[in-house]
Amino acid sequence: MLPKLLIIIFFIMILMVSAVLFMGMRMQKDIPFQEIVPLDKKIAVINSQQWFQDDLIIELVTDDSKPVTGRYDEYGICVFENLENDRMCTINVKRTDLKGMILYRKHVKRVKPIAGGTSYVVLVGASIGRKWNLSQLPQRQRVDNAWVFGSRAIYEFDKSRAIDNLVNMPFPVKSVILKECSAYFPRPQEKSEQSIKLWVKKLEDHDIRPILATTVPVTREHDAGHPGRFESILKYNDFIIRYAGQNNIPVLDLEKALRISEEDRHLRDEYAQPDGNHLVQKAYDESLDSIVFPVVHQAIKQQ
């Protein structure tokens, strides 16, 4: 009797574990932070936030050859070389640890190397970069596949680390958009200006075209509860417009796209989350998506 009971208990445990695994597989999340850049006879795969990169493996598959596997280097970059242009490949990025395999489905992208490569544009910012989902912007704007947009979320004003990584990429970066978040204000104006000038020079010294973004302002209600923030943002934005104009640098004017009016430069309530400084999806869809490509085209044309 006892052995039969143990067998029943054993099978019940197997069923329970199987059920948990099955539910886990159905609720799997997408692997985040993966950027795939087609190049000339190469494909670069980038882990933009260096997220769990020791637990990730990258696989390149073509229709008539064995899969080739790669790993991210210390900077979150893996480049597959000696490929044939215009030959379709499949890139699979997957977690190798048990927890990761349960929680995340593999990232799959069909892509082919392109003669001359693609234009890789990176937004260096914070929350707005993640929420905007810039990687899908070319599809949303119905432009050709010669563009790849990346994002680097740096949750502080100082973007030096991200810029250092970008200028040392083992393949060309066409343009970098420098964007600061309203949460970092008020702050010393002179120090902000010095930082921007330093980053612009570093990018230009490496033949990367900078684009300066104005900072999204805050709502009137947020302004009332955070003395000095709104005024500091406006002072910074005025500098961005002035400095960019003097140095022939394109501007992605987020403030202009989202403010109430030229006279009242607060963020429009309809575009704001309850905190008064982060954006709702409507802001990206209605006012931000459409302003990117004209500015990026201007930047590339001036290169």
Side-chain angles (χ1 to χ4, degrees):
M1 183 69 181
L2 186 59
K4 287 185 178 180
L5 181 61
L6 290 175
I7 291 172
I8 292 171
I9 293 173
F10 176 73
F11 277 108
I12 290 174
M13 290 177 64
I14 290 177
L15 288 172
M16 291 176 63
V17 171
S18 299
V20 169
L21 289 174
F22 177 74
M23 291 300 295
M25 295 292 282
R26 291 192 65 183
M27 298 173 63
Q28 281 183 320
K29 298 178 285 187
D30 293 325
I31 290 179
F33 309 123
Q34 307 305 303
E35 298 171 2
I36 299 172
V37 185
L39 302 168
D40 196 337
K41 298 183 180 181
K42 303 177 184 179
I43 294 175
V45 188
I46 304 155
N47 185 351
S48 64
Q49 297 296 118
Q50 299 180 31
W51 175 85
F52 282 94
Q53 59 190 38
D54 292 338
D55 293 323
L56 289 169
I57 191 167
I58 310 103
E59 184 180 67
L60 181 143
V61 184
T62 56
D63 294 336
D64 55 356
S65 62
K66 292 182 179 180
V68 178
T69 58
R71 292 275 186 175
Y72 288 116
D73 65 15
E74 60 181 310
Y75 303 106
I77 301 169
C78 175
V79 180
F80 294 97
E81 301 182 328
N82 302 315
L83 304 176
E84 184 180 334
N85 283 339
D86 296 319
R87 186 183 185 189
M88 189 62 72
C89 306
T90 300
I91 299 291
N92 299 315
V93 184
K94 51 191 176 181
R95 288 278 290 264
T96 58
D97 58 307
L98 180 59
K99 179 181 178 181
M101 288 188 288
I102 293 172
L103 293 178
Y104 295 93
R105 68 179 65 89
K106 68 180 177 181
H107 180 86
V108 181
K109 178 80 172 181
R110 294 275 288 171
V111 65
K112 55 187 176 182
I114 299 174
T118 49
S119 294
Y120 183 48
V121 179
V122 181
L123 170 67
V124 178
S127 58
I128 193 172
R130 291 192 61 188
K131 298 291 186 181
W132 200 344
N133 193 16
L134 274 179
S135 65
Q136 297 301 310
L137 181 65
Q139 290 90 325
R140 293 197 300 270
Q141 292 292 293
R142 295 181 173 86
V143 300
D144 59 51
N145 61 359
W147 298 88
V148 175
F149 279 79
S151 180
R152 301 293 182 274
I154 307 296
Y155 293 97
E156 58 180 330
F157 187 92
D158 188 0
K159 303 297 190 288
S160 301
R161 177 170 55 87
I163 292 166
D164 287 342
N165 288 341
L166 288 169
V167 300
N168 288 302
M169 282 280 191
F171 57 89
V173 178
K174 276 286 186 183
S175 188
V176 169
I177 304 169
L178 295 172
K179 188 268 173 193
E180 295 294 352
C181 179
S182 60
Y184 311 138
F185 295 83
R187 57 174 290 106
Q189 179 67 18
E190 185 177 350
K191 187 175 181 181
S192 301
E193 294 181 10
Q194 289 172 349
S195 295
I196 292 295
K197 292 175 182 178
L198 176 66
W199 300 334
V200 164
K201 184 178 186 308
K202 183 168 288 189
L203 291 170
E204 291 181 335
D205 285 347
H206 289 82
D207 296 321
I208 299 173
R209 188 68 172 137
I211 296 173
L212 299 180
T214 54
T215 293
V216 175
V218 296
T219 62
R220 286 199 195 100
E221 183 178 358
H222 183 99
D223 181 16
H226 297 78
R229 173 167 289 173
F230 179 65
E231 290 79 8
S232 183
I233 291 171
L234 296 191
K235 191 173 182 180
Y236 172 81
N237 285 351
D238 288 343
F239 158 74
I240 291 295
I241 298 295
R242 183 176 64 255
Y243 174 72
Q246 292 168 347
N247 293 274
N248 199 29
I249 300 171
V251 175
L252 185 64
D253 201 343
L254 304 178
E255 181 207 313
K256 183 178 179 180
L258 299 170
R259 69 193 181 192
I260 295 172
S261 68
E262 190 173 353
E263 292 73 30
D264 186 347
R265 296 168 67 180
H266 288 94
L267 175 62
R268 293 165 64 175
D269 288 335
E270 66 190 273
Y271 287 156
Q273 292 188 23
D275 63 9
N277 68 332
H278 289 93
L279 302 177
V280 296
Q281 190 60 44
K282 180 181 179 181
Y284 301 108
D285 297 341
E286 286 188 359
S287 293
L288 296 188
D289 270 6
S290 61
I291 69 173
V292 177
F293 271 105
V295 176
V296 171
H297 280 300
Q298 178 190 353
I300 302 302
K301 192 179 297 184
Q302 292 174 348
Q303 226 169 7

